């Protein structure tokens, strides 16, 4: 059977594309034309499966919502499942139904038939769906863990001694451990996770990924706990940390290249009661796009903010908790205004992304390069625009204010719950109120909400009693809710967008700041001048079908 000719005959690819795939197959022996076509995006897996299934009399099934009975899973050893990429899904009348994405792998089916004593009936399914169910039922990296269990000694040390450090180092460098750690990182990157949490619990090692701001438990084989020390040591080696130090927190950095994309991983290790806990912050440099128009600002907010970032001097603050997208907003603003005619210098801790056209400085507190010290030096470097990663203390705040008074535009961040609180926070730090009022031009508070998956979101008519009191309800209105599908990994959401609260300082707000008015008083004045609160901005996103009421309630309080 000439698979290539079959694909061309059925219109799945052209003769020219087939010739290109054959050239690639010669350069990569062992790779099938179908694999290469799928990788290159020339073939659609569902179409290929239907073609082969129809030709060979094998049914094609959708495993998206499929539930596999535990007793069926136990019939086939995990090593066979992982080695061949097949999954037993159903048993009836002495027949075992096995899902595969490769109908030509007769050896796998024969092996399962010999092991189980059942007649095997193959069905075709997407490779991604089979892999998802394998990870769900056997755990992430299950094959590698099985190999490690087979290699590992039966001796288990309950308390590690100094003599074991060399052994741990050696274990951490074993190919199986290296592969297991790589699988954890690759899976996190494929799932668009921003953080990986590796937690030592009394019950064993726990793995969680933060995807779109929400933590999701990842299934792992229970045997993985036996290799906790080796996994942690491997990550420490990658981050150039001291593997012998288990009493003090450590911070490091791993640089990776995955499928041509640069990935920066920040590693934080903290000793806990039941062992060390790790958090890996994943910064996908290739996957980030800094564009003000795509952050989720409403047209009026976007227009006002663009005018503000083009002012010649003053301070613009972006506020919100950690992980609310402040850095992305500031980088997008700088990218929007960068030009050969202006000099932009940033001082950050850490420098998360490198942008062409910006002069970026990394804070190094151990040698005295703090925000304040760096900011003083920046002022002697003839800048037009300055970005201070965060105003953390009085000294940094005062220098930033002096910079704005001497004709510089200063961008920075603060940790406050809303825009109005930024004025009060600066005064509480010890900055003179008249200086705050004369330099702060505007404050943008923001949060991130998950965006509904466009492939599966469902329209419904809400009940007024189920909605918050401040929601702008109208009789007969239609909203959207999450459902869950293959595209969004059954979460109902895919990606995030910002909700914003932009407070522009006017004469009355400046007077209130000098009078040391409370944040509530300043907020009332800003609202009377037309400011839209975080929740109000969120409700617009809900009514437009971008997100849900629950998401806005999760990140924004009244």
């Amino acid at each position: 059977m000439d698979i290539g000719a079959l694909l061309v005959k059925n219109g799945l690819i052209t003769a020219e594309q087939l010739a290109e795939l054959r050239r690639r197959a010669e350069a990569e022996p062992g790779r099938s034309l179908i694999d290469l076509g799928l990788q290159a995006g020339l073939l659609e897996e569902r179409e290929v499966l239907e073609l082969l299934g129809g030709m060979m009399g094998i049914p094609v099934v959708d495993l998206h919502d499929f539930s596999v009975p535990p007793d069926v899973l136990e019939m086939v050893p995990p090593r066979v499942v992982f080695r061949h990429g097949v999954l037993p899904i159903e048993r009836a009348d002495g027949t075992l139904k096995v899902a595969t994405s490769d109908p030509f792998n007769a050896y796998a089916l024969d092996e399962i038939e010999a092991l189980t004593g059942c007649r095997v009936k193959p069905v075709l399914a997407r490779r991604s769906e089979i892999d998802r169910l394998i990870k769900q039922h056997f755990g992430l990296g299950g094959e590698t863990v099985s190999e490690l269990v087979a290699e590992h000694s039966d001796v288990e040390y309950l308390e590690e001694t100094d003599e074991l450090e060399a052994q741990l180092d050696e274990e951490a460098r074993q190919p199986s451990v290296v592969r297991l750690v790589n699988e954890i990182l690759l899976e996190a990157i494929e799932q668009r996770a921003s953080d990986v949490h590796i937690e030592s619990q009394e019950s064993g090692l726990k793995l969680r990924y933060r995807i779109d701001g929400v933590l999701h438990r990842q299934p792992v084989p229970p045997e993985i706990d036996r290799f906790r020390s080796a996994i942690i040591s491997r990550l420490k080696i990658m981050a150039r940390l001291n593997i012998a130090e288990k009493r003090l927190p450590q911070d490091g950095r791993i640089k990776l290249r995955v499928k041509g994309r640069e990935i920066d991983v920040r590693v934080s290790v903290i000793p806990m009661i039941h062992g060390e806990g790790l958090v890996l912050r994943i910064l996908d440099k290739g996957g980030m796009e800094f564009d003000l128009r795509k952050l989720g600002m409403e047209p009026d907010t976007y227009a006002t903010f663009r005018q503000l970032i083009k002012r010649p001097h003053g301070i613009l603050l972006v506020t919100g908790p950690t992980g609310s997208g402040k850095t992305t907003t500031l980088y997008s603003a700088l990218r929007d205004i960068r030009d050969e005619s202006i000099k932009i210098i940033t001082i950050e801790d850490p420098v998360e992304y490198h942008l062409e056209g910006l002069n970026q400085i990394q804070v190094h507190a151990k040698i005295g390069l703090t925000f304040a010290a760096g900011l003083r030096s920046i002022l002697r470097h003839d800048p037009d625009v300055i970005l201070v990663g965060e105003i953390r203390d009085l000294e940094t705040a005062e220098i930033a204010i002096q910079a704005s008074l001497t004709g510089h535009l200063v961008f920075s961040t603060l940790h406050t719950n809303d825009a109005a609180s930024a004025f009060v926070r600066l005064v509480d730090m010890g900055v003179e109120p008249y200086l705050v009022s004369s330099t702060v031009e505007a404050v943008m508070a923001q949060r991130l909400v998950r965006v509904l998956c466009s492939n599966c979101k469902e329209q419904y008519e809400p009940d007024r009693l189920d909605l918050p009191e401040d929601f702008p309800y109208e009789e007969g209105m239609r909203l959207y809710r999450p459902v869950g599908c293959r595209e969004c990994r059954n979460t109902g959401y895919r990606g995030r967008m910002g909700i914003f609260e932009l407070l522009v300082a006017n004469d009355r707000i400046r007077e209130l700041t000098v009078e040391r008015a409370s944040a509530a008083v300043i907020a009332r004045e800003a609202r009377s001048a037309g400011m839209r609160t975080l929740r109000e901005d969120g409700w617009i996103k809900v009514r437009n079908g971008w997100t849900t009421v629950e998401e806005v309630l999760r990140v924004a309080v009244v």
Side-chain angles (χ1 to χ4, degrees):
M1 183 192 303
D2 185 343
I3 292 295
L6 190 68
L7 294 172
V8 173
K9 181 182 176 183
N10 286 271
L12 269 62
I13 54 172
T14 64
E16 292 77 14
Q17 289 170 334
L18 174 60
E20 173 60 27
L21 289 178
R22 290 197 194 280
R23 281 194 293 272
R24 292 189 187 186
E26 288 175 11
E28 299 182 52
R31 298 285 303 278
S32 70
L33 288 176
I34 290 176
D35 278 347
L36 291 167
L38 292 171
Q39 183 186 32
L42 299 176
L43 292 171
E44 206 286 311
E45 189 176 16
R46 182 80 190 184
E47 292 178 350
V48 173
L49 292 176
E50 286 174 352
L51 171 64
L52 296 177
M55 186 182 68
M56 301 172 73
I58 303 175
V60 179
V61 298
D62 187 347
L63 298 179
H64 173 57
D65 293 320
F66 204 88
S67 179
V68 185
D71 61 319
V72 173
L73 289 169
E74 291 168 3
M75 293 183 69
V76 181
R79 60 182 170 78
V80 176
V81 169
F82 283 108
R83 188 193 313 144
H84 299 296
V86 296
L87 187 71
I89 59 172
E90 201 175 293
R91 179 180 60 175
D93 302 325
T95 299
L96 183 65
K97 197 178 285 186
V98 176
T100 178
S101 60
D102 182 3
F104 305 113
N105 189 0
Y107 177 77
L109 304 176
D110 290 343
E111 186 177 0
I112 293 172
E113 203 162 77
L115 285 167
T116 61
C118 294
R119 188 168 63 88
V120 171
K121 180 184 178 183
V123 294
L124 294 179
R126 289 174 186 254
R127 181 61 200 242
S128 59
E129 289 297 329
I130 295 173
D131 287 345
R132 180 182 62 80
L133 284 173
I134 289 173
K135 285 173 188 171
Q136 180 181 320
H137 293 292
F138 294 95
L140 176 64
E143 181 184 22
T144 311
V145 172
S146 298
E147 286 178 21
L148 282 166
V149 170
E151 296 168 4
H152 207 257
S153 162
D154 289 333
V155 178
E156 185 178 355
Y157 294 96
L158 297 179
E159 226 174 278
E160 290 173 3
T161 60
D162 294 340
E163 292 79 30
L164 288 176
E165 296 306 336
Q167 181 187 327
L168 280 175
D169 192 359
E170 188 180 333
E171 278 189 9
R173 296 178 191 274
Q174 285 181 4
S176 296
V177 174
V178 171
R179 190 160 74 248
L180 178 58
V181 170
N182 288 348
E183 284 182 50
I184 291 171
L185 290 170
L186 284 170
E187 182 71 8
I189 292 163
E190 283 180 13
Q191 290 200 32
R192 303 177 297 106
S194 60
D195 302 86
V196 178
H197 292 245
I198 301 172
E199 300 164 328
S200 297
Q201 303 285 341
E202 189 175 10
S203 57
L205 194 70
K206 189 159 98 175
L207 180 65
R208 294 192 288 174
Y209 293 160
R210 189 178 293 280
I211 303 168
D212 292 334
V214 177
L215 282 169
H216 297 269
R217 178 83 177 261
Q218 296 301 304
V220 291
E223 296 85 3
I224 200 172
D225 192 53
R226 292 171 60 181
F227 311 99
R228 182 192 309 182
S229 296
I231 292 167
I232 292 172
S233 294
R234 172 62 190 164
L235 285 163
K236 283 183 174 181
I237 289 167
M238 292 172 73
R240 301 179 184 275
L241 300 177
N242 182 1
I243 68 166
E245 179 57 74
K246 294 178 172 60
R247 301 163 301 169
L248 295 172
Q250 296 187 72
D251 293 300
R253 181 175 178 176
I254 302 169
K255 286 189 174 182
L256 304 171
R257 190 182 296 277
V258 178
K259 296 178 182 176
R261 287 153 51 196
E262 273 192 45
I263 308 290
D264 207 4
V265 182
R266 302 290 162 80
V267 182
S268 175
V269 187
I270 295 180
M272 308 276 187
I273 293 175
H274 299 293
E276 291 175 291
L278 276 77
V279 173
L280 314 177
R281 181 81 188 274
I282 298 173
L283 301 171
D284 184 353
K285 296 181 178 181
M288 282 303 296
E289 186 180 7
F290 299 108
D291 189 338
L292 271 181
R293 291 167 298 181
K294 296 181 180 178
L295 298 182
M297 293 183 196
E298 293 302 310
D300 56 342
T301 303
Y302 171 71
T304 304
F305 191 67
R306 280 207 74 205
Q307 290 175 356
L308 289 165
I309 63 177
K310 293 183 178 180
R311 291 194 178 184
H313 55 78
I315 295 178
L316 296 179
L317 296 172
V318 179
T319 76
T322 303
S324 58
K326 301 188 296 294
T327 302
T328 302
T329 298
L330 288 174
Y331 275 8
S332 299
L334 292 179
R335 186 178 176 277
D336 198 76
I337 63 172
R338 68 180 175 183
D339 187 83
E340 290 297 325
S341 63
I342 64 172
K343 178 153 187 170
I344 302 173
I345 304 181
T346 78
I347 179 159
E348 306 164 66
D349 182 22
V351 175
E352 294 190 354
Y353 299 98
H354 302 278
L355 265 69
E356 184 65 31
L358 271 60
N359 301 278
Q360 296 171 278
I361 301 170
Q362 169 78 51
V363 164
H364 203 321
K366 287 182 180 176
I367 59 170
L369 182 54
T370 60
F371 277 119
L375 194 46
R376 280 199 196 90
S377 300
I378 287 172
L379 292 175
R380 295 193 289 273
H381 222 70
D382 188 30
D384 297 292
V385 178
I386 300 167
L387 166 63
V388 184
E390 184 185 344
I391 295 179
R392 295 178 178 172
D393 51 44
L394 174 60
E395 188 180 12
T396 307
E398 287 181 334
I399 301 168
I401 282 171
Q402 287 304 318
S404 71
L405 289 171
T406 52
H408 303 89
L409 182 60
V410 180
F411 293 89
S412 192
T413 68
L414 271 180
H415 288 286
T416 61
N417 289 329
D418 59 11
S421 298
F423 295 88
V424 178
R425 177 84 179 96
L426 289 172
V427 173
D428 287 345
M429 275 185 184
V431 181
E432 289 295 333
Y434 75 91
L435 289 175
V436 176
S437 71
S438 58
T439 54
V440 177
E441 297 293 332
V443 183
M444 171 88 86
Q446 67 177 77
R447 300 288 188 278
L448 291 177
V449 293
R450 290 184 292 171
V451 176
L452 282 163
C453 173
S454 59
N455 189 59
C456 66
K457 66 181 182 181
E458 176 183 77
Q459 199 175 52
Y460 74 104
E461 188 172 331
D463 187 327
R464 179 69 187 98
L465 297 175
D466 295 334
L467 297 172
E469 289 184 10
D470 61 326
F471 187 87
Y473 175 78
E474 292 174 11
E475 197 68 42
M477 72 187 309
R478 312 284 287 180
L479 303 180
Y480 287 87
R481 59 188 168 203
V483 177
C485 67
R486 182 184 293 113
E487 298 296 321
C488 61
R489 296 179 182 263
N490 289 314
T491 62
Y493 299 93
R494 186 170 176 82
R496 288 188 290 176
M497 72 189 308
I499 57 172
F500 302 92
E501 177 178 292
L502 180 57
L503 188 162
V504 181
N506 57 25
D507 291 342
R508 181 58 189 145
I509 287 173
R510 297 186 195 282
E511 288 172 10
L512 289 171
T513 304
V514 173
E515 294 167 7
R516 296 177 181 264
S518 68
V521 173
I522 294 173
R524 275 199 300 273
E525 172 57 33
R527 291 198 66 189
S528 67
M531 182 188 80
R532 188 162 49 234
T533 66
L534 284 167
R535 278 169 73 106
E536 288 167 346
D537 197 53
W539 300 146
I540 293 174
K541 267 75 173 177
V542 172
R543 294 187 63 172
N544 288 339
W546 287 107
T547 190
T548 61
V549 171
E550 292 74 23
E551 273 299 291
V552 175
L553 293 175
R554 183 175 66 85
V555 300
V557 296
V558 177

